[in-house]
Amino acid sequence: MTTILVTGGTGTLGRHVVTRLRAGGHDVRVLTRHTPPYDVDLREGDDGLDRALDGTGTVVHCATSARGGDEQAARNLIAAARRAGVAHLVYISIVGVDRVPFPYYRTKLAVERQFEDSGTGWTVLRATQFHDLLFRLFQGLSKSPVMPLPARVKDQPVDVREVAHRLAELAQGAPAGRADDMGGPEIRTLHSLARGYLDAAGRRRAVVKVPLRGSAYEAFRAGGHLAPERAVGKRTFEEYLAERFAVTGGGR
């Protein structure tokens, strides 16, 4: 079996990818900034990165940071992977990074291009937003009596475990280039999804639709981040919420 390195392997997506790969019998190394033995800050690209990649055949790159630095991290990872003779680089991206001029999306697209130009076999999977992201968004907004949401914007949330299953499947195969996008089973307004969250959490809040301005908002409103033809996910947002609140004991 292949030795596979998963960056961000303790994160929302990465930990499920690690579980899937280990279930497939692979030797999986987990690279994070703070967890030994492969505790490496990819943005720094220190000697620990070469040690983590030594003998590795495949890298699944799930690590990302909202604080920036993803492009430098990818440069360091790709350079080290080439030194180590890694045969397959796998990257998780987002549906619409080439259509929505949102800063984080632009960064994801730039990293995609680094993988494509790496000179190494590569696979990129784009997915729509995870259920977990909407949960955290609504959880934060519902701390106020009024929940402001962008007007006329829809979303297509997908289950992170389903994406992890597909990403692990791709990592165990040959480099595939741009894989088919992966979207959740339903396209719904943010207002509808927020109401689903409030019902599951047992909270009463006013949801206000706020019109915004700018090219990124217009692209989101036009559905540039959606994949209606690739609605392959099975688990709905309400099913996710039911499980989430069953574990936490409610959201009041």
Side-chain angles (χ1 to χ4, degrees), residues 86-156:
V86 170
H88 190 186
L89 298 171
V90 183
Y91 182 56
I92 180 66
S93 190
I94 306 171
V95 169
V97 292
D98 54 346
R99 299 191 296 262
V100 179
F102 185 63
Y104 182 63
Y105 280 31
R106 286 172 172 160
T107 297
K108 298 291 282 188
L109 181 59
V111 174
E112 281 189 15
R113 289 172 175 163
Q114 288 186 52
F115 272 61
E116 294 169 11
D117 297 337
S118 66
T120 300
W122 59 276
T123 300
V124 169
L125 173 66
R126 292 179 180 177
T128 53
Q129 306 294 337
F130 299 151
H131 293 313
D132 306 70
L133 178 64
L134 289 180
F135 180 90
R136 293 194 300 270
L137 171 66
F138 297 148
Q139 186 179 51
L141 291 175
S142 66
K143 292 178 181 178
S144 169
V146 177
M147 292 178 65
L149 293 172
R152 293 184 289 173
V153 172
K154 297 180 180 180
D155 212 339
Q156 188 180 357

